[in-house]
Amino acid sequence: MEGRIGGWGRPRETARKGVIGADVRGHGLSCEGQPVTSRLAVICGTSSCHMGISRDPIFVPGVWGPYFSAMVPGFWLNEGGQSVTGKLIDHMVQGHAAFPELQAKAAARCQSVYAYLNSHLDLIKKAQPVGFLTVDLHVWPDFHGNRSPLADLTLKGMVTGLKLSQDLDDLAILYLATVQAIAFGTRLIIEAMEAAGHSVSTLFLCGGLSKNPLFVQMHADITGMPVILSQEVESVLVGAAILGACASGDFASVQEAMAKMSKVGKVVFPRLEDKRYYDKKYKVFLKLVEHQKEYAAIMKGD
């Protein structure tokens, strides 16, 4: 499997070096006074990977590792992940009947379809928070099986709450529910890691999906954790530069180079007033996979 053992030269591990060690002083973050092990780096693009480090080896069911010095020298690495997250969003949006209308309207504004959808959600949310638009629509995102923490390639995607409408509002809300489902998957991975011994307080996002403000805000709201975005969006390049600076002797350690060369670009805090809503949706999220397994058992029975 791709990336099963992280190495210094692999793009994902290099990207993590470009974000996870940033100096966070002055941003009011709890991780400022905590060890780097309280940080979880998430690279989110076509697929998503979740990397946490620890001083001692931690074995997490359904999460790869621990691997010693695979990302940060002297630390053990655990790597969770979600298959085809960015691809799933594309699949849900492009497969909807209103997609041609979306393309035309986004092109007329010289916007990407996702920037247009984000602005459209703001228009239709009225007085409520945008996330509340999915109160009756829920998605289980494993259209290509589950990598972490269930490690079950037989799982399928699920959507409950569909209606006959096929307009742009319907597409936007389905897009939102899909983004939320991916964030709930991240929450499930974090809970599995914490149950095994990790302690996570802050998310560091990089990759293509981290450029989508809705994706970032939903990860903050649903996990209840602040999300840090790097000043340099191409984190792989920063990570490569960090390794080069260490090799040239400009810094004594990778940790020192990360602190000096990684910069915080933006901090997105969770809307804690919406916590109860997302806790309820998370209960539904867990019920979806529970029911899917029950359905499979029924069909396999006599």
Side-chain angles (χ1 to χ4, degrees), residues 2 5 14 23 50 87 100 107 129 169 178-179 201 206 223-224 233 241 257 271 277:
E2 176 194 359
I5 299 179
T14 306
D23 183 350
H50 306 69
K87 182 63 177 177
D169 288 1
T178 304
V179 170
S201 67
C206 61
T223 64
V233 295
R271 290 171 51 94
Y277 171 77

Side-chain angles (χ1 to χ4, degrees), residues 42-49 82 84-90 114 118 175 178-179 182-183 205-217 219 227 229 233:
V42 185
I43 186 168
C44 34
T46 304
S47 295
S48 296
C49 295
Q82 297 163 287
V84 292
T85 46
K87 182 63 177 177
L88 174 62
I89 296 172
D90 290 343
Y114 297 111
N118 291 348
Y175 155 69
T178 304
V179 170
I182 294 167
L205 263 61
C206 61
L209 287 175
S210 70
K211 301 173 186 178
N212 183 332
L214 179 73
F215 186 91
V216 175
Q217 188 66 60
H219 271 71
V227 174
L229 302 176
V233 295

Side-chain angles (χ1 to χ4, degrees), residues 35 73 133 149 180 182 210 277 282 298:
L133 289 168
Q180 288 175 336
I182 294 167
S210 70
Y277 171 77
Y282 187 54
I298 290 171

Side-chain angles (χ1 to χ4, degrees), residues 18-19 206 229-235 237-238 261 263-265:
V19 295
C206 61
L229 302 176
S230 176
Q231 187 179 83
E232 172 52 63
V233 295
E234 299 299 339
S235 298
L237 301 182
V238 177
M261 298 178 66
K263 303 296 182 182
V264 174

Side-chain angles (χ1 to χ4, degrees), residues 6-119:
W8 281 21
R10 292 180 181 270
R12 286 203 301 269
E13 286 70 23
T14 306
R16 290 334 187 278
K17 289 181 180 69
V19 295
I20 199 171
D23 183 350
V24 299
R25 287 177 295 180
H27 294 278
L29 293 161
S30 61
C31 67
E32 179 179 333
Q34 297 175 346
V36 70
T37 53
S38 67
R39 307 178 181 191
L40 184 74
V42 185
I43 186 168
C44 34
T46 304
S47 295
S48 296
C49 295
H50 306 69
M51 289 190 169
I53 56 176
S54 56
R55 279 291 185 187
D56 299 310
I58 298 175
F59 291 84
V60 186
V63 173
W64 295 347
Y67 307 123
F68 186 64
S69 291
M71 182 171 74
V72 180
F75 289 83
W76 293 85
L77 169 68
N78 284 111
E79 180 183 346
Q82 297 163 287
S83 298
V84 292
T85 46
K87 182 63 177 177
L88 174 62
I89 296 172
D90 290 343
H91 174 78
M92 299 293 266
V93 170
Q94 294 172 10
H96 195 277
F99 181 63
E101 178 188 357
L102 170 63
Q103 282 184 302
K105 290 186 173 180
R109 289 191 186 178
C110 298
Q111 288 182 312
S112 72
V113 293
Y114 297 111
Y116 188 92
L117 283 173
N118 291 348
S119 62

Side-chain angles (χ1 to χ4, degrees), residues 269-286:
F269 290 95
R271 290 171 51 94
L272 297 179
E273 62 270 28
D274 299 340
K275 181 180 185 300
R276 185 168 179 268
Y277 171 77
Y278 289 114
D279 285 348
K280 290 192 290 186
K281 275 193 70 79
Y282 187 54
K283 289 182 180 179
V284 176
F285 180 78
L286 298 178

